PDB file of all heavy atoms in Angstrom:
ATOM      1  N   GLY A1183     -14.038   1.647  79.125  1.00 98.00           N
ATOM      2  CA  GLY A1183     -12.904   1.699  80.030  1.00 98.00           C
ATOM      3  C   GLY A1183     -12.277   0.316  80.142  1.00 98.00           C
ATOM      4  O   GLY A1183     -12.924  -0.690  79.832  1.00 98.00           O
ATOM      5  N   LEU A1184     -11.029   0.308  80.561  1.00 97.00           N
ATOM      6  CA  LEU A1184     -10.286  -0.940  80.671  1.00 97.00           C
ATOM      7  C   LEU A1184     -10.532  -1.573  82.043  1.00 97.00           C
ATOM      8  O   LEU A1184     -10.485  -0.878  83.066  1.00 97.00           O
ATOM      9  CB  LEU A1184      -8.797  -0.616  80.510  1.00 97.00           C
ATOM     10  CG  LEU A1184      -7.849  -1.668  79.988  1.00 97.00           C
ATOM     11  CD1 LEU A1184      -8.264  -2.190  78.623  1.00 97.00           C
ATOM     12  CD2 LEU A1184      -6.442  -1.081  79.917  1.00 97.00           C
ATOM     13  N   ILE A1185     -10.801  -2.862  82.050  1.00 97.00           N
ATOM     14  CA  ILE A1185     -10.950  -3.580  83.320  1.00 97.00           C
ATOM     15  C   ILE A1185      -9.581  -4.142  83.714  1.00 97.00           C
ATOM     16  O   ILE A1185      -8.982  -4.897  82.951  1.00 97.00           O
ATOM     17  CB  ILE A1185     -11.973  -4.724  83.196  1.00 97.00           C
ATOM     18  CG1 ILE A1185     -13.348  -4.161  82.788  1.00 97.00           C
ATOM     19  CG2 ILE A1185     -12.068  -5.505  84.502  1.00 97.00           C
ATOM     20  CD1 ILE A1185     -14.390  -5.223  82.523  1.00 97.00           C
ATOM     21  N   PRO A1186      -9.071  -3.757  84.888  1.00 96.00           N
ATOM     22  CA  PRO A1186      -7.731  -4.227  85.272  1.00 96.00           C
ATOM     23  C   PRO A1186      -7.695  -5.753  85.419  1.00 96.00           C
ATOM     24  O   PRO A1186      -8.703  -6.390  85.751  1.00 96.00           O
ATOM     25  CB  PRO A1186      -7.494  -3.561  86.639  1.00 96.00           C
ATOM     26  CG  PRO A1186      -8.482  -2.449  86.727  1.00 96.00           C
ATOM     27  CD  PRO A1186      -9.657  -2.872  85.908  1.00 96.00           C
ATOM     28  N   GLU A1187      -6.545  -6.289  85.145  1.00 95.00           N
ATOM     29  CA  GLU A1187      -6.307  -7.726  85.288  1.00 95.00           C
ATOM     30  C   GLU A1187      -6.738  -8.216  86.680  1.00 95.00           C
ATOM     31  O   GLU A1187      -6.496  -7.540  87.679  1.00 95.00           O
ATOM     32  CB  GLU A1187      -4.815  -8.005  85.103  1.00 95.00           C
ATOM     33  CG  GLU A1187      -4.480  -9.439  84.816  1.00 95.00           C
ATOM     34  CD  GLU A1187      -3.779  -9.575  83.465  1.00 95.00           C
ATOM     35  OE1 GLU A1187      -3.611  -8.556  82.759  1.00 95.00           O
ATOM     36  OE2 GLU A1187      -3.417 -10.698  83.130  1.00 95.00           O
ATOM     37  N   GLY A1188      -7.391  -9.336  86.729  1.00 96.00           N
ATOM     38  CA  GLY A1188      -7.740  -9.931  88.027  1.00 96.00           C
ATOM     39  C   GLY A1188      -9.004  -9.386  88.635  1.00 96.00           C
ATOM     40  O   GLY A1188      -9.400  -9.826  89.724  1.00 96.00           O
ATOM     41  N   VAL A1189      -9.634  -8.419  87.976  1.00 97.00           N
ATOM     42  CA  VAL A1189     -10.855  -7.827  88.519  1.00 97.00           C
ATOM     43  C   VAL A1189     -12.070  -8.475  87.852  1.00 97.00           C
ATOM     44  O   VAL A1189     -12.123  -8.573  86.624  1.00 97.00           O
ATOM     45  CB  VAL A1189     -10.853  -6.302  88.292  1.00 97.00           C
ATOM     46  CG1 VAL A1189     -12.221  -5.704  88.589  1.00 97.00           C
ATOM     47  CG2 VAL A1189      -9.783  -5.636  89.144  1.00 97.00           C
ATOM     48  N   ASP A1190     -13.011  -8.950  88.663  1.00 97.00           N
ATOM     49  CA  ASP A1190     -14.243  -9.571  88.132  1.00 97.00           C
ATOM     50  C   ASP A1190     -15.387  -9.177  89.050  1.00 97.00           C
ATOM     51  O   ASP A1190     -15.758  -9.898  89.964  1.00 97.00           O
ATOM     52  CB  ASP A1190     -14.068 -11.094  88.081  1.00 97.00           C
ATOM     53  CG  ASP A1190     -15.327 -11.795  87.576  1.00 97.00           C
ATOM     54  OD1 ASP A1190     -16.133 -11.141  86.875  1.00 97.00           O
ATOM     55  OD2 ASP A1190     -15.513 -12.991  87.892  1.00 97.00           O
ATOM     56  N   ILE A1191     -15.923  -7.995  88.794  1.00 97.00           N
ATOM     57  CA  ILE A1191     -16.953  -7.410  89.656  1.00 97.00           C
ATOM     58  C   ILE A1191     -18.272  -7.451  88.919  1.00 97.00           C
ATOM     59  O   ILE A1191     -18.403  -6.847  87.844  1.00 97.00           O
ATOM     60  CB  ILE A1191     -16.576  -5.959  90.012  1.00 97.00           C
ATOM     61  CG1 ILE A1191     -15.239  -5.915  90.748  1.00 97.00           C
ATOM     62  CG2 ILE A1191     -17.671  -5.296  90.828  1.00 97.00           C
ATOM     63  CD1 ILE A1191     -14.727  -4.521  91.059  1.00 97.00           C
ATOM     64  N   ARG A1192     -19.239  -8.200  89.460  1.00 95.00           N
ATOM     65  CA  ARG A1192     -20.554  -8.283  88.802  1.00 95.00           C
ATOM     66  C   ARG A1192     -21.574  -8.802  89.796  1.00 95.00           C
ATOM     67  O   ARG A1192     -21.223  -9.493  90.764  1.00 95.00           O
ATOM     68  CB  ARG A1192     -20.473  -9.178  87.565  1.00 95.00           C
ATOM     69  CG  ARG A1192     -19.920 -10.543  87.811  1.00 95.00           C
ATOM     70  CD  ARG A1192     -19.669 -11.335  86.518  1.00 95.00           C
ATOM     71  NE  ARG A1192     -18.766 -12.440  86.794  1.00 95.00           N
ATOM     72  CZ  ARG A1192     -19.137 -13.613  87.306  1.00 95.00           C
ATOM     73  NH1 ARG A1192     -20.410 -13.843  87.588  1.00 95.00           N
ATOM     74  NH2 ARG A1192     -18.250 -14.564  87.554  1.00 95.00           N
ATOM     75  N   PRO A1193     -22.866  -8.455  89.531  1.00 95.00           N
ATOM     76  CA  PRO A1193     -23.931  -8.780  90.499  1.00 95.00           C
ATOM     77  C   PRO A1193     -23.968 -10.269  90.873  1.00 95.00           C
ATOM     78  O   PRO A1193     -24.289 -10.611  92.013  1.00 95.00           O
ATOM     79  CB  PRO A1193     -25.201  -8.368  89.772  1.00 95.00           C
ATOM     80  CG  PRO A1193     -24.768  -7.313  88.792  1.00 95.00           C
ATOM     81  CD  PRO A1193     -23.372  -7.664  88.390  1.00 95.00           C
ATOM     82  N   GLY A1194     -23.641 -11.140  89.943  1.00 95.00           N
ATOM     83  CA  GLY A1194     -23.745 -12.576  90.212  1.00 95.00           C
ATOM     84  C   GLY A1194     -22.709 -13.104  91.208  1.00 95.00           C
ATOM     85  O   GLY A1194     -22.797 -14.254  91.640  1.00 95.00           O
ATOM     86  N   ARG A1195     -21.729 -12.274  91.578  1.00 97.00           N
ATOM     87  CA  ARG A1195     -20.661 -12.772  92.448  1.00 97.00           C
ATOM     88  C   ARG A1195     -20.919 -12.598  93.947  1.00 97.00           C
ATOM     89  O   ARG A1195     -20.089 -13.014  94.775  1.00 97.00           O
ATOM     90  CB  ARG A1195     -19.322 -12.128  92.081  1.00 97.00           C
ATOM     91  CG  ARG A1195     -18.710 -12.737  90.825  1.00 97.00           C
ATOM     92  CD  ARG A1195     -17.225 -12.438  90.750  1.00 97.00           C
ATOM     93  NE  ARG A1195     -16.465 -13.085  91.818  1.00 97.00           N
ATOM     94  CZ  ARG A1195     -15.421 -12.538  92.454  1.00 97.00           C
ATOM     95  NH1 ARG A1195     -15.038 -11.319  92.149  1.00 97.00           N
ATOM     96  NH2 ARG A1195     -14.797 -13.207  93.410  1.00 97.00           N
ATOM     97  N   ALA A1196     -22.041 -12.009  94.347  1.00 98.00           N
ATOM     98  CA  ALA A1196     -22.346 -11.935  95.784  1.00 98.00           C
ATOM     99  C   ALA A1196     -22.533 -13.342  96.322  1.00 98.00           C
ATOM    100  O   ALA A1196     -23.035 -14.231  95.617  1.00 98.00           O
ATOM    101  CB  ALA A1196     -23.597 -11.093  95.997  1.00 98.00           C
ATOM    102  N   ARG A1197     -22.133 -13.568  97.594  1.00 98.00           N
ATOM    103  CA  ARG A1197     -22.305 -14.910  98.159  1.00 98.00           C
ATOM    104  C   ARG A1197     -22.486 -14.798  99.667  1.00 98.00           C
ATOM    105  O   ARG A1197     -22.071 -13.814 100.289  1.00 98.00           O
ATOM    106  CB  ARG A1197     -21.111 -15.790  97.810  1.00 98.00           C
ATOM    107  CG  ARG A1197     -19.815 -15.228  98.307  1.00 98.00           C
ATOM    108  CD  ARG A1197     -18.610 -16.067  97.904  1.00 98.00           C
ATOM    109  NE  ARG A1197     -17.449 -15.572  98.623  1.00 98.00           N
ATOM    110  CZ  ARG A1197     -16.227 -15.510  98.120  1.00 98.00           C
ATOM    111  NH1 ARG A1197     -15.975 -15.934  96.900  1.00 98.00           N
ATOM    112  NH2 ARG A1197     -15.224 -15.047  98.832  1.00 98.00           N
ATOM    113  N   PRO A1198     -23.129 -15.792 100.262  1.00 98.00           N
ATOM    114  CA  PRO A1198     -23.374 -15.743 101.705  1.00 98.00           C
ATOM    115  C   PRO A1198     -22.086 -15.440 102.459  1.00 98.00           C
ATOM    116  O   PRO A1198     -21.031 -15.987 102.135  1.00 98.00           O
ATOM    117  CB  PRO A1198     -23.904 -17.147 102.029  1.00 98.00           C
ATOM    118  CG  PRO A1198     -24.551 -17.592 100.740  1.00 98.00           C
ATOM    119  CD  PRO A1198     -23.690 -17.025  99.660  1.00 98.00           C
TER     120      PRO A1198
END
Side-chain angles (χ1 to χ4, degrees):
Chain A
L1184 206 58
I1185 300 175
E1187 197 120 358
V1189 169
D1190 179 23
I1191 300 176
R1192 54 188 162 82
R1195 283 199 66 218
R1197 58 183 190 216

